Amino acid sequence: MLILCVKFVAALAVGLASLYAGLLAALTTQFIQRHAVYLHAFQMTGDKDLNVPEMFGFLRGQVTPFNIHSSDGTPLHSWHILPIGLYRKHQANLMEGPTGLAHDVTSTPGFNLLRDDPEALLAIHFHGAGGNMGSGYRIPNYRALTAGNPDKIHVLTFDYRGFGKSPGSPTENDIIQDAISVVDWALHVAKIPPFRILIFGQSLGTAVNMAVAQHYSTLNEPIIFAGHIMIAPFVDVPTLVTTYKIAGTIPVLSPVAQYPMLFNFLKSHIKEDWSTKTRIANYVRANEASAHQYRITLIHAEDDYDIPWHHTPTLFWHAANATSSHEIGQDDVAEWKSNEGQDIGHAGHEAHWRTHHGVISEYLLKYGLHDVVMGAPIVTLAAMRIFDGANVSSG
Ligand SMILES: *[C@@H]1O[C@H](CO)[C@@H](O)[C@H](O)[C@H]1NC(C)=O
């Protein structure tokens, strides 16, 4: 009996070990990696139809669903969301407008309210992994972004290819290309100048955000937006997987991390590394060199158990270091922060690194988890500060 039991336990152990080995092996394949990073197979909005925004709590006529075409022609399903004050002024007209997917967005009443107002402001939204533009805390997030100026701040959000109703499957390059196509639409179709645009990203969307920032700031004729807000960013994917925990409790790679060779082998198989630490530094350096005004805001809650908050001070350091031609150590930045930053008790800690051209802000919140924070007033405040700093009226 005892022997049988021991045998069973041994078999179980072998079984679990090979299951784990199988999991690790699977993680080295591109297919599995992409599904693990992007989680696009999980829709999380049940039976709701993204072409019927009322199902997500919007008012009739407040949101226009339409497609923006990516550079290779892939249709990216998008929403143009009107801020509530503006909606109220035009409610009668908007309620009578067409519903469902707009085939020509430029002829919709909502679009005209955006394009024809020389003071309209636009928050372009890059969502995180999993779900679609209608899921989770993304809806309260849109409200928080517009709340600081409910007559002026519109939201443009969309699903990357492979998410929601956008066909295809995501890769790092394609997602970045999709995001650039959406920003190009805002610049060239809606004709909103960059100083009236802020770019928001959460989680995976923060990595998209800095890729886009780097792209436009390093063009021959750089385009610099009013500012970039990043909630729960990460340094890069290799660093993320070493700290990632399934459901916040099971560290996937910690057992392997004790074996540096195996660990490095696995890390070297990560094909898409989404290096925000490199891109944020490139973006800052480009703007310091070209003397463009820029603004980056990092927000992270200390109780975020998906992406640990310490990714944010690391990114802050990379950004701060890029403002100087001399190396600035991580310890120096930490010390500067404890002197110059502001402790706000239960709210957390904030710090603003200023140069002649830019402001790099960091808000470390005590509470907010990974996504609840998206609907919080700190997001509204960050958007207001960015649009204040953009000196909108004088252009
Ligand atoms: C910090 O900046 C210096 C000088 O600009 C650069 O040589 C160095 O690689 C940067 N350090 C990091 C960690 O990026």
Side-chain angles (χ1 to χ4, degrees):
M1 191 62 197
L2 183 68
I3 300 285
L4 218 65
C5 195
V6 168
K7 270 189 175 164
F8 173 75
V9 170
L12 191 71
V14 170
L16 284 177
S18 47
L19 206 68
Y20 184 61
L23 175 76
L24 294 181
L27 278 171
T28 65
T29 74
Q30 287 248 20
F31 178 80
I32 299 291
Q33 269 180 25
R34 287 190 177 135
H35 276 269
V37 172
Y38 303 122
L39 302 171
H40 51 292
F42 299 95
Q43 286 286 337
M44 307 192 289
T45 46
D47 301 331
K48 292 181 186 168
D49 183 349
L50 289 162
N51 281 326
V52 187
E54 294 90 314
M55 288 183 168
F56 297 84
F58 290 105
L59 298 162
R60 188 182 173 99
Q62 188 186 0
V63 174
T64 308
F66 69 108
N67 286 322
I68 293 174
H69 292 272
S70 193
S71 50
D72 68 354
T74 303
L76 304 172
H77 195 232
S78 311
W79 277 350
H80 167 211
I81 306 170
L82 293 172
I84 189 70
L86 186 64
Y87 174 83
R88 173 126 199 257
K89 279 186 198 126
H90 299 272
Q91 186 174 23
N93 183 28
L94 290 162
M95 294 258 289
E96 277 168 20
T99 57
L101 185 74
H103 293 285
D104 175 13
V105 67
T106 62
S107 66
T108 62
F111 178 83
N112 292 328
L113 290 172
L114 171 65
R115 185 192 48 196
D116 297 344
D117 178 359
E119 294 177 346
L121 305 170
L122 183 63
I124 302 182
H125 192 273
F126 299 159
H127 69 60
N132 56 51
M133 59 184 167
S135 41
Y137 287 89
R138 291 170 193 163
I139 305 280
N141 187 196
Y142 305 143
R143 203 160 54 231
L145 282 168
T146 68
N149 194 339
D151 289 322
K152 295 295 177 192
I153 307 176
H154 299 237
V155 173
L156 175 60
T157 185
F158 72 103
D159 278 315
Y160 316 108
R161 67 186 58 204
F163 292 78
K165 286 183 183 291
S166 301
S169 55
T171 65
E172 178 170 0
N173 283 340
D174 284 335
I175 286 188
I176 294 169
Q177 202 48 58
D178 290 350
I180 290 171
S181 303
V182 167
V183 175
D184 274 346
W185 180 92
L187 291 169
H188 304 304
V189 181
K191 298 199 190 316
I192 312 297
F195 64 87
R196 288 200 264 126
I197 294 176
L198 91 70
I199 299 186
F200 173 94
Q202 183 249 358
S203 198
L204 174 66
T206 63
V208 185
N209 196 339
M210 273 305 111
V212 166
Q214 175 185 267
H215 168 81
Y216 284 97
S217 65
T218 52
L219 294 173
N220 282 337
E221 291 185 26
I223 296 176
I224 310 302
F225 301 95
H228 297 264
I229 300 177
M230 304 203 280
I231 294 190
F234 55 95
V235 170
D236 55 21
V237 172
T239 312
L240 181 62
V241 294
T242 65
T243 55
Y244 190 79
K245 296 177 178 169
I246 292 177
T249 47
I250 309 165
V252 190
L253 289 180
S254 293
V256 189
Q258 295 162 17
Y259 306 96
M261 268 176 61
L262 178 57
F263 191 50
N264 289 334
F265 169 78
L266 283 171
K267 280 211 285 191
S268 71
H269 275 74
I270 294 173
K271 295 287 188 298
E272 304 189 338
D273 62 5
W274 287 103
S275 184
T276 299
K277 72 169 197 268
T278 310
R279 288 170 174 152
I280 200 170
N282 290 345
Y283 174 67
V284 168
R285 276 185 219 289
N287 293 338
E288 291 290 337
S290 64
H292 277 95
Q293 298 293 320
Y294 65 97
R295 194 149 189 151
I296 304 172
T297 301
L298 307 169
I299 301 173
H300 216 137
E302 287 178 14
D303 59 358
D304 182 336
Y305 56 71
D306 289 292
I307 298 180
W309 63 273
H310 55 75
H311 281 261
T312 283
T314 304
L315 287 172
F316 186 86
W317 163 53
H318 280 277
N321 179 59
T323 62
S324 164
S325 51
H326 306 288
E327 175 106 35
I328 306 177
Q330 188 158 16
D331 292 346
D332 299 333
V333 173
E335 196 188 319
W336 170 87
K337 228 183 270 178
S338 62
N339 295 328
E340 303 296 322
Q342 198 183 354
D343 188 344
I344 27 185
H346 291 290
H349 192 273
E350 69 178 82
H352 306 274
W353 182 277
R354 292 171 208 276
T355 73
H356 291 303
H357 311 298
V359 186
I360 302 157
S361 299
E362 177 192 83
Y363 298 90
L364 291 176
L365 314 177
K366 292 267 182 242
Y367 306 95
L369 300 173
H370 185 55
D371 43 15
V372 177
V373 55
M374 293 161 74
I378 189 72
V379 176
T380 307
L381 186 73
M384 292 170 87
R385 284 188 168 160
I386 281 176
F387 283 133
D388 286 348
N391 198 9
V392 167
S393 52
S394 70

